[in-house]
Each structure stands twice: as structure tokens, then as C-alpha cells.
Amino acid sequence: MTSSSDILKNSSKLLTRITRAYERRLSQYGNDPRGVFWQNKEYQFKRFEILSHIFDPADNTKNISIHDFGCGYGALFEYLAGKPIMKNAQYIGTDMSSQMVTAARKKITDQRAEFRRHTIAIDATDYTLISGTFNMHLGQDEEEWEAYIKASLLQLWSKTRFGLAFNMLRDDAEYHYDGLFYINGHDLFDFCATRLSPNVEIQNDSPLPDWTIFVRK
């Protein structure tokens, strides 16, 4: 059986096509939800609101750290910037695309935010949020893509102190679009409960076509 670390080391083949697709989209639409394949800002921010349920109310008065994995041009930071959770917090945005990271750095100069080009978590943070990062596989082998998702979750969890939240497209969504990856969220729930933490919740985000999964220490 291939180890999670080996899957991540060999993920460049999977990610290269996807990186190019995002960079073409960014070039076309710029720092806009459409530039990261979201329908509009309303749906983009609704997902951010749901993911934010991972935070504990007490975190509003603490110096927490947040990792946004697959940050794009930094829209999640824009959503969080004026909220109580970010009053004393630090944010790290990671993306596989150097062009996305450059766009984020140009757009966001807030000292609380830092952007990095990488495909894994480097430093430990209190929370990890993942919005839409695993949704596009561009028709690549689905078993291979699911293995990559699970390997990434294991690595991200190893760098997360308190909680991780991520969304995925539901396999029972009304519409399925070519190039996107849809999954049975309960299978992912079982994986998280077995391999990450028994403290897991799953939420059907209808009318959004998503599952959101919350994992806590």
C-alpha cells in the first residue's frame, strides 16, 4: 500500500493540470470569485461562513492562527478580516499556484496575513480551513484523486492543533459537472473519525451542493 507521504511526494502529476487551469482562470477574471471557479461572491462567502463554525467563541479573545489551504487570491482572509475572530489572529494562506500567491500578496497587505506557495502545510496552526480545494480533478482517476485528498487531510491534520473544516461536493447533488469531483461525505466522515479524530461532525449544506466536515481534537 502506498503511504500518504509517498502520495503527496508524487502528486505533481495530479496537480499540474489543475494549477494551469486555475492560472488561466485567474488571468481571465482576476481577483474575482470566477477567477477561482466559484459562481459568485454570495456562494463563496456562504461557504466561508459555514467553515467558520469550526471556531470556538472563546477564540475571539485569543491569539489564534488560521491556515487557509488552497487560498487562491485570499478571499477567505477578506471574509474574516473584519470579524472578531481575526482581531488578534494570524492567517497563513497556502496555494499550489505561484500566480495565485502573487495575486494575493498584491491584493492583501494586512500584516495579519501571509501567503505561501506550497502543496502541504509547513507550520502548525490552531485551525485549518479548506474551501473547494479538492473539488476539481479535471477527469483524472477518481481513486487516485480520493487517495490524494485523504493523504492531504492526514498531513494537514498533523499540523493542526484544535480543528479542521473542509467542504466537498455531494455525490447526490442535483447537477454534476465535468471535471469536478463528487463524493459520499459519509465515507469521508468515517475516514476522518478513524484516521484523524473521533470528534467529527458532518453537515449537508443544501441548497449548496456541499458537505462540510468539522474535525476537532
Side-chain angles (χ1 to χ4, degrees), residues 202-214:
I202 186 169
Q203 175 177 307
N204 182 323
D205 296 332
S206 181
L208 295 175
D210 300 352
W211 306 103
T212 298
I213 295 180
F214 305 92

Side-chain angles (χ1 to χ4, degrees), residues 5 17 26 37 50 54 68 70-71 77 87 89 104 120 123 131 141 146 152-153 165 180-181 192 198 202 211:
S5 59
R17 287 178 58 198
L26 178 68
F37 291 96
I50 293 169
I54 192 66
D68 177 10
C71 65
F77 180 80
K87 183 177 181 180
I120 60 172
D123 296 323
S131 185
D141 183 86
E146 184 173 342
S152 290
L153 289 172
L180 298 184
F181 182 72
C192 291
I202 186 169
W211 306 103

